[in-house]
Amino acid sequence: IPNSKYKNNYNSYTQQDGHYAGNAANDEDGASSDATEGHDDEDEIYEGEYQGVPAYNDGKPREGQVALGQPVSDSLKSRKELENERQADEEELAQQYELIMQECGHGRFQWQLFFVLGLALMSDGVEVFVVGFVLPSAETDMCVPNSGAGWLGSIVYLGMMFGAFFWGGLSDKVGRRQCLLISMSVNGFFAFLSSFVQGYSMFLFCRMVSGFGIGGAVPIVFSYFAEVLAREKRGEHLSWLCMFWMIGGIYASAMAWAIIPHYGWSFSMGSAYQFHSWRVFVVVCALPCVSAVVALTFMPESPRFYLEMGKHDEAWMVLKQIHDTNMRARGEPERVFTVNRIKIPKQLDELVEMQNESANPVLKVLFKIKAELRGVGCCSTFTLALVAVFRYYGLSVWFPDVIKHLQADEYASRVKIHNDERIEDFTFNFTLENQIHRNGVFLNDRFISMKFKAVTFINSSFLNCYFEDVSSVGSFFKNCTFVDSFLYNTDIDDSKLINSSLINSSFHHNKTGCQMTFDDDYSAYWVYFVNFLGTLAVLPGNIVSALLMDKIGRLSMLGGSMVLSGISCFFLWFGTSESMMIFMLCLYNGLSISAWNSLDVVTTELYPTDRRGTGFGFCNAMCKLAAVLGNLIFGSLVGITKAIPILLASSVLVGGGLVGLRLPDTRANVLM
């Protein structure tokens, strides 16, 4: 709708009909309005509780009053008529609100909220990466059997799935800020608690509840921020906000790289309580969430939500706060906020309650559910979200594991094989690594304060040998014989003695419990570094999408990004080396991020205000379900074949790009 029409409406609303009203006198220097009566220009403080807030007239007749031409009572109207009136009110409010945000301007307030919500979005990015980084260490530290391995990754995503739908829907009822504050508090508390619990079951529970809390971050953050942005700023600044998810991934990768492999940071309290470095990493990763909770306490509720709930005075106060904050930052504190009246749409709850009192209660409940789900069924957005998340999380699992398999193959190619060796009266006090010993004889040898790392003994004999303070990582004794040998303070147990026999040999003070071995993983640093590079590669795509989102449009950005990332994914077929795969990972992440940003912007603008959190949360919840499926499908193909993941991801990306082009263009939308 042209701006000229907005401006005509802007100056035509009167106090009598309860609408927003402009005051032409305010255009003159030194002018004031009713909206600022009792307002002190010097210290910006209201002298009375509601002295500066215009009273809202809801258009209802006072008791005992009957006026000529009085509108028909709501109780006499049909449900369809009431819904049509509400729709008209919402359209009128959307036009008014756009003009109000233009008057408030874009300045200090929006940037303050930008960084606060950015911390919340950063916490979501951190939560996704924490799972993968602590998984090997946590499962080893807590003696997790093979049957329980892998549950951590899945259960966190399931928590995020339920959290997205719950908090997104609740934010449409009780407010963006309040729901975000509670959900982030839940995430921070249980994330912090999970670093101290010792049992794996309790750890799973804490991470699940932590995921449930952080699940509300994405749907609420984008809904909240979009509602304080004017239309011409929305696409660009929502895209800039997406960068904080990338920052969260970089933060998690850097902290894992710096903390987890350093076991000197660990401490223990007896044999019952162990606090290893990966737990320090979990605590550090909870800091962005805690910072977001503290910062959120200083921010107001979304004024657009207040208007949708019929809270005229609260919305007016927040809008004036936005206006005054921005004007003071511009050096124009004397600029008067000219808004007197804001249109309030008919409340949805009123429509439900106005049904016939004798109506079937079941029908009332069904009507309520139907009203709650209204606007959630944007099929194209939902389908595209599943496509994007399925291929993103699937390939995110597949890429690092393929690199690890390439590393393992290269490591195995350097194995040293020793056949028919005989070693007598020798002391081993150094590390043996990546070796195979066949048909060897060790006579009167001493193995003291040393490590076996990826060493396998096959058909070997140990005669009168002495083992003390020995640890073995990925090492085994197959068909070996120990005669008159003594083993003290070692971790060699039945799981490492495969078809081996012990003759007059004994074990004393064997190491019990789970032995942390992640510091001995030759690829630990490299895995974190690869994730760091892959996340950092998103930065150029973020910048490009933010700068071009409002210029070339959401749909062009969305379709183009998905097609280009699909092409880059296809060329993975030709990746045969570790360096080539890392390069393709960075290229793929850089090209695909624009599709993510476009999808977030389009989803925010498609849903009406009273269903924005619910709709966004529902789509985000299904995305987390797609993430679980992507992890299972792509993860099962690691090390088997790369043809299926590559062809599946490429075809899904191209198909998703075509679906994206069928979405409605939201660039010119006002927030309904």
Side-chain angles (χ1 to χ4, degrees), residues 114-298:
F114 173 81
F115 287 107
V116 172
L117 296 180
L119 286 172
L121 196 59
M122 178 181 172
S123 301
D124 182 85
V126 168
E127 187 77 17
V128 170
F129 284 88
V130 164
V131 174
F133 290 154
V134 305
L135 193 59
S137 299
E139 291 179 341
T140 302
D141 190 17
M142 298 180 179
C143 306
V144 180
N146 291 333
S147 59
W151 267 103
L152 179 58
S154 299
I155 204 166
V156 170
Y157 281 124
L158 289 175
M160 296 173 74
M161 179 184 74
F162 289 109
F165 185 71
F166 176 81
W167 296 113
L170 193 62
S171 70
D172 286 331
K173 297 300 180 184
V174 303
R176 319 297 192 206
R177 173 186 171 275
Q178 186 172 351
C179 277
L180 186 59
L181 193 59
I182 297 173
S183 66
M184 297 299 294
S185 299
V186 170
N187 170 250
F189 176 78
F190 282 93
F192 186 78
L193 182 63
S194 69
S195 66
F196 295 95
V197 299
Q198 293 292 294
Y200 190 60
S201 298
M202 190 63 186
F203 183 76
L204 281 177
F205 174 77
C206 289
R207 295 313 303 186
M208 180 187 68
V209 181
S210 174
F212 176 78
I214 200 62
V218 172
I220 299 177
V221 160
F222 284 100
S223 299
Y224 193 173
F225 195 49
E227 291 168 0
V228 297
L229 294 173
R231 180 179 54 191
E232 66 271 10
K233 299 285 186 180
R234 196 179 306 132
E236 177 185 350
H237 288 272
L238 286 176
S239 299
W240 286 125
L241 186 64
C242 293
M243 290 185 64
F244 280 94
W245 199 93
M246 173 204 70
I247 295 173
I250 293 175
Y251 176 81
S253 301
M255 291 300 101
W257 192 11
I259 295 174
I260 293 180
H262 297 286
Y263 278 77
W265 296 10
S266 305
F267 69 88
S268 61
M269 298 174 62
S271 59
Y273 191 86
Q274 304 288 328
F275 196 92
H276 293 294
S277 58
W278 67 268
R279 297 180 181 273
V280 179
F281 168 69
V282 173
V283 172
V284 170
C285 285
L287 296 180
C289 179
V290 175
S291 302
V293 170
V294 174
L296 270 170
T297 60
F298 298 98

Side-chain angles (χ1 to χ4, degrees), residues 279-548:
R279 297 180 181 273
V280 179
F281 168 69
V282 173
V283 172
V284 170
C285 285
L287 296 180
C289 179
V290 175
S291 302
V293 170
V294 174
L296 270 170
T297 60
F298 298 98
M299 302 308 298
E301 181 57 81
S302 163
R304 188 67 175 83
F305 169 78
Y306 273 148
L307 291 174
E308 201 67 29
M309 294 294 104
K311 298 181 179 180
H312 175 274
D313 292 356
E314 291 87 342
W316 189 92
M317 293 289 287
V318 174
L319 288 169
K320 189 178 190 311
Q321 178 184 346
I322 297 173
H323 175 274
D324 292 347
T325 300
N326 291 340
M327 292 306 112
R328 283 196 299 268
R330 291 182 185 180
E332 303 176 8
E334 72 283 353
R335 181 75 69 87
V336 175
F337 186 49
T338 61
V339 175
N340 280 1
R341 298 287 182 270
I342 309 174
K343 181 68 176 180
I344 300 296
K346 190 179 295 296
Q347 298 306 297
L348 184 62
D349 289 342
E350 294 178 13
L351 301 180
V352 178
E353 296 300 329
M354 285 174 192
Q355 304 306 306
N356 192 327
E357 293 183 1
S358 62
N360 191 327
V362 176
L363 296 179
K364 287 187 176 183
V365 172
L366 293 176
F367 175 78
K368 185 77 171 178
I369 294 174
K370 179 182 177 182
E372 290 299 317
L373 295 178
R374 181 171 59 89
V376 176
C378 289
C379 211
S380 298
T381 312
F382 172 65
T383 303
L384 197 58
L386 292 182
V387 166
V389 176
F390 177 80
R391 54 88 181 167
Y392 179 82
Y393 284 106
L395 288 179
S396 295
V397 170
W398 188 71
F399 265 126
D401 283 348
V402 166
I403 292 174
K404 289 172 68 175
H405 274 74
L406 291 173
Q407 290 176 333
D409 291 341
E410 194 272 336
Y411 185 76
S413 68
R414 294 187 281 108
V415 66
K416 296 179 181 180
I417 301 177
H418 303 269
N419 292 314
D420 302 319
E421 60 186 339
R422 182 183 177 88
I423 302 175
E424 296 184 30
D425 296 317
F426 186 81
T427 299
F428 293 87
N429 55 4
F430 48 86
T431 298
L432 295 179
E433 180 178 359
N434 198 18
Q435 299 178 6
I436 296 177
H437 297 262
R438 288 196 180 99
N439 303 317
V441 175
F442 299 87
L443 180 62
N444 297 325
D445 293 324
R446 293 163 299 280
F447 300 84
I448 300 176
S449 299
M450 55 89 63
K451 293 181 180 180
F452 293 118
K453 184 177 180 181
V455 177
T456 303
F457 294 92
I458 303 175
N459 297 323
S460 297
S461 298
F462 297 85
L463 308 176
N464 196 28
C465 292
Y466 179 77
F467 297 79
E468 180 180 351
D469 193 20
V470 175
S471 62
S472 55
V473 179
S475 299
F476 302 94
F477 300 84
K478 298 180 179 179
N479 300 317
C480 294
T481 302
F482 292 79
V483 179
D484 296 325
S485 296
F486 185 85
L487 295 90
Y488 179 83
N489 192 31
T490 72
D491 64 352
I492 300 174
D493 55 19
D494 292 340
S495 65
K496 297 178 181 179
L497 298 173
I498 302 174
N499 296 325
S500 297
S501 59
L502 301 173
I503 301 174
N504 198 27
S505 300
S506 60
F507 293 82
H508 294 270
H509 297 284
N510 230 35
K511 295 179 180 179
T512 59
C514 305
Q515 303 300 317
M516 292 298 295
T517 60
F518 201 65
D519 58 332
D520 293 315
D521 188 351
Y522 65 91
S523 62
Y525 283 98
W526 190 240
V527 169
Y528 301 141
F529 183 65
V530 169
N531 278 279
F532 178 83
L533 288 178
T535 309
L536 189 62
V538 168
L539 179 60
N542 260 319
I543 295 175
V544 170
S545 63
L547 295 178
L548 299 182

